[in-house]
């Protein structure tokens, strides 16, 4: 990859002296030259010698869907004829604003702000006293209202909005045709071990199936735990808190994988409250790391970086080696996507120093993390940093591995992008074609999103035979690809898992939350 040359210092125009967000600034500089976004992309490709940038990426920069990294920021300064310091200051201003991406709707924006606010409160007061007062059902309700837990593909019911308020009666929380939750609380208290085992089973099913199939199961399990908690006494609540926290974290992960942004963030908010209330700092950090992963995936690296850093800082003294490594990788990816190259490299180096998962020292919900997964996470961040060479050998074993179709599809998308950055269009299309089959097998809208991004980046090579073949393959597979909350809702639960996973504990991990 050609390094960008230092831009010659030039006096900025008077209208650009005030700090401004980067997106509007880039649009104004482009318009002043009378250029289209296509022209800017072409100039950047010609100047840098990297032919993979398209007008869609320029559009994302201007609309604040993404910030350019150091590499493209340097070339933007050269092509647009402005000092590099001007663009760096504008990018820093954009990060301070914490701009919400255009893909975040109103409900998702509210959920994002509520979770960020709660995370900052936890960072300021790790005891959790500022998260809602005494430990009651009401205290676990999120600021401004309880989390939305609507089932995917099902009609809204009276229990879709869980107040978790101890003052509500059992009849007020009972669903039509079901027993009052007082019995549910007793049943949960009596069978806490069985409930924990059921959660573990659902996590193992997440190795094989995507959120489109499992999100409804996660939501129903969280409703069950929340109803039992809301009507239990103080002693019962203390015993049920771990189940509630883990149920909410898993429900958030599954909702996020199904493309339900607001549902995932709301469940994570509940999970954070419950984890802090039970004094499980490791799980609280993992919840924020999972939420960071969600925001990074929908194009909100500033929010993702904030959550990942708070999660790591809040639990690093109590976290296992594997959890510390995982959270540092969350920080690294968010920093890379935000254009914070130095911060991303520092986080990667720190993750490497942790040494990876410690045998017998990891929490049960982190069973899926192994050295191969951590290596692939490093490769993914290197791709985001524009360093595809060392990323390819790290991503290839996981992208072409067997046993975890979603994991193979997600990392296969990143591997295809690495090949594209290297100028290997045929190799990128071959990898993306394999990942497409895994996306069909997994039923994960998140995996489909990765391949959609690859298809977008292939637009600059639409005339090449390999790109045309991949476009045809994607068009043919589209009826079989899952669509979650971002598209037409998928009826979760339409594919009900059997009573036991077919592969039990031998299933290879697929990046479970």
């Amino acid at each position: 990859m050609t390094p960008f040359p230092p831009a010659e210092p030039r006096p900025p125009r008077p209208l650009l002296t005030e700090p401004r967000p980067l997106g509007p600034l880039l649009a104004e500089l482009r318009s002043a030259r009378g250029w289209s976004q296509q022209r800017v992309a072409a100039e950047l490709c010609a100047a840098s010698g990297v032919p993979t940038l398209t007008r869609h990426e320029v559009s994302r920069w201007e609309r604040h869907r993404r910030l350019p990294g150091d590499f493209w920021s340097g070339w933007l300064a050269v092509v647009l004829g402005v000092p590099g310091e001007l663009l760096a200051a504008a990018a820093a201003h954009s990060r301070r604003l914490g701009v919400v991406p255009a893909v975040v709707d109103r409900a998702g924006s509210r959920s994002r702000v509520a979770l960020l606010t709660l995370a900052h409160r936890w960072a300021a007061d790790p005891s959790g006293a500022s998260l809602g007062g005494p430990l009651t059902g009401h205290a676990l309700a999120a600021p401004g209202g309880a989390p939305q837990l609507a089932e995917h593909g099902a009609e809204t019911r009276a229990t879709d909005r869980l107040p978790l308020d101890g003052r509500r009666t059992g009849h007020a929380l009972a669903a039509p045709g079901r027993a009052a939750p007082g019995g549910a609380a007793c049943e949960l208290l009596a069978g806490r071990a069985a409930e924990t085992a059921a959660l573990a089973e659902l996590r193992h099913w997440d190795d094989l199936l995507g959120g489109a199939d499992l999100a409804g199961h996660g939501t129903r399990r969280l409703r069950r735990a929340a109803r039992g908690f809301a009507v239990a006494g103080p002693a019962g609540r203390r015993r049920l808190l771990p189940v509630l926290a883990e149920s909410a974290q898993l429900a958030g992960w599954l909702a996020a994988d199904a493309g339900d942004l607001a549902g995932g963030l709301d469940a994570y908010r509940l999970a954070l409250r419950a984890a802090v209330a039970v004094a499980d700092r490791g799980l609280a950090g993992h919840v924020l790391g999972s939420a960071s992963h969600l925001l990074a995936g929908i194009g909100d690296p500033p929010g993702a970086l904030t959550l990942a850093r708070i999660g790591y800082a809040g639990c690093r003294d109590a976290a296992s080696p594997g959890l510390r490594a995982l959270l540092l990788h969350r920080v690294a990816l968010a920093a890379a996507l935000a254009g914070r190259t130095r911060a991303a490299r520092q986080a990667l180096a720190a993750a490497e120093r942790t040494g990876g998962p410690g045998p017998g020292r990891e929490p049960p919900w982190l069973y899926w993390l192994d050295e191969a997964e951590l290596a692939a996470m490093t490769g993914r961040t290197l791709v985001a940093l524009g360093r595809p060479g060392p990323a390819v050998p790290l991503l290839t074993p996981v992208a072409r591995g067997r046993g975890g179709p979603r994991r193979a599809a997600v990392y296969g998308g990143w591997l295809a992008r690495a090949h594209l950055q290297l100028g290997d269009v045929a190799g990128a299309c071959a990898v993306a074609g394999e990942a497409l089959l895994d996306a069909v097998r997994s039923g994960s809208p998140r995996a489909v999103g990765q391949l959609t991004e690859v298809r977008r980046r292939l637009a600059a090579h639409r005339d090449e035979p390999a790109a045309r073949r991949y476009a045809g393959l994607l068009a043919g597979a589209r009826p079989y690809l899952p669509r979650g909350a971002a598209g037409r809702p998928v009826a979760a639960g339409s594919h009900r898992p059997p009573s036991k996973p077919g592969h039990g504990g031998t299933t290879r991990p697929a990046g479970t939350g």
Side-chain angles (χ1 to χ4, degrees), residues 387-458:
R387 298 179 57 200
V392 169
L394 297 174
L395 288 165
T396 299
V398 174
R400 294 182 174 170
R402 297 186 180 277
R406 182 187 55 216
R407 183 170 82 160
V410 169
Y411 288 121
W414 284 99
L415 180 59
R417 289 166 63 172
H419 281 290
L420 272 180
Q421 289 181 4
L422 291 169
D424 181 8
V425 177
C429 292
V431 170
E434 295 176 5
L436 182 60
L437 297 178
D438 284 316
V440 172
R441 296 186 187 105
S442 71
S444 168
R446 179 164 62 91
V448 176
Q450 284 292 328
L451 297 174
T452 302
E453 176 69 11
V454 173
R455 176 70 184 94
R456 185 188 66 78
R457 291 170 182 261
L458 280 170

Side-chain angles (χ1 to χ4, degrees), residues 41 47 55 99 171 258 421 463 473 477:
R55 69 173 181 82
V99 178
H171 289 291
Q421 289 181 4
D463 294 332
L473 183 63

Side-chain angles (χ1 to χ4, degrees), residues 261-283:
L261 171 64
L265 292 174
D266 287 339
Y268 285 143
R269 197 161 77 250
L270 175 58
L272 178 60
R273 285 183 175 277
V276 172
V278 80
D280 191 339
R281 293 165 56 194
L283 182 56

Side-chain angles (χ1 to χ4, degrees), residues 74-232:
W75 282 113
L76 279 166
V78 172
V79 167
L80 296 174
V82 295
E85 294 80 1
L86 178 66
L87 300 187
H93 186 59
S94 295
R95 295 187 191 101
R96 286 193 297 270
L97 291 176
V99 178
V100 180
V103 294
V104 179
D105 59 16
R106 183 174 299 177
S109 178
R110 287 196 300 267
S111 299
R112 172 188 181 274
V113 171
L115 181 58
L116 284 167
T117 301
L118 199 66
H120 281 295
R121 287 180 181 174
W122 181 51
D125 181 12
S127 70
S130 63
L131 267 64
L135 178 58
T136 63
H138 181 68
L140 287 175
Q148 293 286 348
L149 298 171
E151 283 194 43
H152 302 269
E155 68 277 7
T156 302
R157 299 187 179 123
T159 54
D160 282 349
R161 191 171 181 85
L162 296 177
L164 300 182
D165 190 336
R167 295 170 296 177
R168 297 289 296 272
T169 64
H171 289 291
L173 288 171
R178 297 183 182 180
C186 296
E187 184 181 346
L188 281 171
L189 286 169
R192 177 178 164 184
E195 194 71 15
T196 302
L199 277 174
E201 181 178 351
L202 185 57
R203 289 188 187 277
H204 280 280
W205 272 109
D206 183 51
D207 294 344
L208 301 174
L209 300 174
D213 290 318
L214 296 179
H217 295 284
T219 298
R220 285 191 289 275
R221 189 156 295 284
L222 175 55
R223 279 210 190 97
R224 172 183 167 86
R227 282 197 300 268
F229 180 89
V231 297

